Amino acid sequence: MTTAILWLRNDLRLHDHEALHRALQQADTIVPFYCFDKRLFEDTPYGFKRCGAQRLQFLMQSVQSLQQAFAAKGVGMEITVGNPVQALQDLAERTGAKWMFYHREATTEELADEAAVVKNLQSAGLECHGFWGSTLFHPEDLPFPLARLPEVFTDFRKRTEREAQVRELWPVPGKMQGIAGCQQVWPSEKQRGEAPSPSDPRAVLAFEGGEAAGLARLQRYFWEEDRLQEYKETRNGLIGQGYSSKFSPWLAVGALSPRFIYHEIQRYERQRISNQSTYWLIFELLWRDYFRFVAHKHGAALFQAGGIKQNGQAHPYKAKALELWKEGRTKQAFIDANMRELRATGFMSNRGRQNVASYLVHHLKCDWRAGAAWFEHTLLDYDPCSNYGNWNYLAGVGNDPRENRVFNPEKQAANYDPQGEYQRLWGAS
Ligand SMILES: Cc1cc2nc3c(=O)[nH]c(=O)nc-3n(C[C@H](O)[C@H](O)[C@H](O)COP(=O)(O)OP(=O)(O)OC[C@H]3O[C@@H](n4cnc5c(N)ncnc54)[C@H](O)[C@@H]3O)c2cc1C
């Protein structure tokens, strides 16, 4: 019997999973492995943890859902908490595995982990195979090498749309065989910290982690409620589940594959309607791809004060201003409503995110990295590439070709919340 370890990170699904597919091709038995990285529980310099209670809950649900999906196929999953590099070394010794399969990531910490894991396991005699599985377009299919990725999104999009194709899906595997004696260790109460607040009735959606819930969300948004055909007109909304797809939390943990969404859009275009809205969801997924490739190209600069432009200093960090912003007590009603929604639910619309980020940087003149860290703590859909990429953009240190883009919250509220309904919904309670 030969065994392969499948190292899972932000690819918590069975559909469209190349690493899983390859592991099953190679080995008789597989050991899916997930490690809750101890960095999740570390404090930021701003006095809160990197991962807040609601995001952790969504992540734990996602891991549990995958564990159940493997169990239904007769395969045990190894789950632990700590340092993935050490944990994988121990697992390799315990199982006598010959191979390790995984999906590659784009950001510095994750890439450093990959390098350390591969080095360790190779010196223990394992073969390691990494694949790219997190974007719509595979980097090898782009019309330029990642090192020469265009610095402006529109240039990237136009060339990619013209010259590249989205690959086919990897099928959901049928039979598979696991090993006996897998262990499951979950984050302790102490690591989890405060309990997540109960679901707020004002939330856009009662988000639940896991592949099944992600697929059900797509089924509802595309097929049951037929909302994709009006996406372009509704996507700047603020209230309710229907104004945008809400796919982002499942995309962030890899419970939904962007390629799967793309192929479903194509099916929708064949079976229902093809219009500007159906295209626009692909356009937005291209933004997601772009930030992932930007992170890959620019490395650690994405997280530094001067951003990927490396153009000077950020504003100083202002603890009091950050506190008021975080709590929705700046006295700017539109900003406060958005920040309260984020804190209560772990979600905020794209319109809201642009406004509150701009406000922290340009009105409160606070270091953008403190705001990005709060988003990292709170957002269910936190993704290092999309989060830090968008913050770079809004702070003027990223890929925005327009200099000094500042959002005027009064004007924005008048345009997007003209009756004040959203501000009343999240007003002072
Ligand atoms: C300051 C700031 C921080 C952000 N942080 C994150 C983050 O950590 N994680 C995250 O997934 N998105 C982030 N976004 C992007 C965007 O706000 C969310 O992806 C979107 O609001 C999620 O809702 P949805 O799934 O309903 O989006 P939809 O409008 O339905 O869009 C579909 C998908 O397209 C992608 N997408 C849409 N807009 C963007 C964008 N501007 N950048 C990258 N991808 C995009 C997302 O994957 C999204 O799920 C951030 C935006 C800003 C301005």
Side-chain angles (χ1 to χ4, degrees), residues 21 23 28 55 57 68 101 106 113-114 121 161 163 232 240 243 246 250 253 256 261 276 308 336 423:
H21 192 85
D28 302 317
R55 173 153 84 89
Q57 175 172 265
Q68 287 162 354
F101 292 82
D113 283 350
E114 271 171 48
L121 296 188
E161 283 177 342
E163 296 175 50
K232 190 157 186 263
Y243 67 79
K246 314 293 184 303
W250 292 286
V253 297
L256 273 181
I261 298 172
Q276 288 228 344
I308 62 167
D336 288 351
Q423 290 161 89

Side-chain angles (χ1 to χ4, degrees), residues 221 231 235 243-249 251-252 281 283-289 291 347-357 375 379 381-388 390-391 394:
Y221 186 77
Y231 169 71
R235 58 178 284 274
Y243 67 79
S244 66
S245 75
K246 314 293 184 303
F247 292 161
S248 54
L251 279 165
L281 195 63
F283 176 97
E284 294 299 339
L285 288 171
L286 271 165
W287 265 112
R288 180 178 174 278
D289 272 22
F291 283 128
F347 192 83
M348 188 197 291
S349 66
N350 186 55
R351 181 60 39 193
R353 294 181 203 203
Q354 290 176 319
N355 273 279
V356 302
F375 271 32
L379 279 176
D381 64 25
Y382 168 67
D383 168 280
C385 310
S386 290
N387 189 52
Y388 283 85
N390 273 290
W391 273 96
L394 267 302

Side-chain angles (χ1 to χ4, degrees), residues 155-210:
D155 300 340
F156 158 79
R157 178 182 63 77
K158 285 189 175 158
R159 284 199 61 191
T160 303
E161 283 177 342
R162 211 171 41 232
E163 296 175 50
Q165 288 219 320
V166 177
R167 291 185 179 184
E168 287 305 316
L169 299 176
W170 294 94
V172 176
K175 280 206 181 115
M176 45 178 119
Q177 206 178 331
I179 59 162
C182 282
Q183 298 167 9
Q184 278 110 34
V185 178
W186 294 85
S188 66
E189 229 169 86
K190 185 162 172 259
Q191 282 163 329
R192 293 202 303 270
E194 46 166 324
S197 37
S199 176
D200 192 303
R202 297 167 294 179
V204 289
L205 197 65
F207 288 102
E208 187 195 330

Side-chain angles (χ1 to χ4, degrees), residues 5 122 140-141 156 191 216 228 251 287 341 343 346 370 407:
I5 294 171
Q122 280 178 343
E140 284 164 15
D141 300 336
F156 158 79
Q191 282 163 329
L228 178 55
L251 279 165
W287 265 112
E341 181 191 6
R343 196 183 178 106
F407 285 75

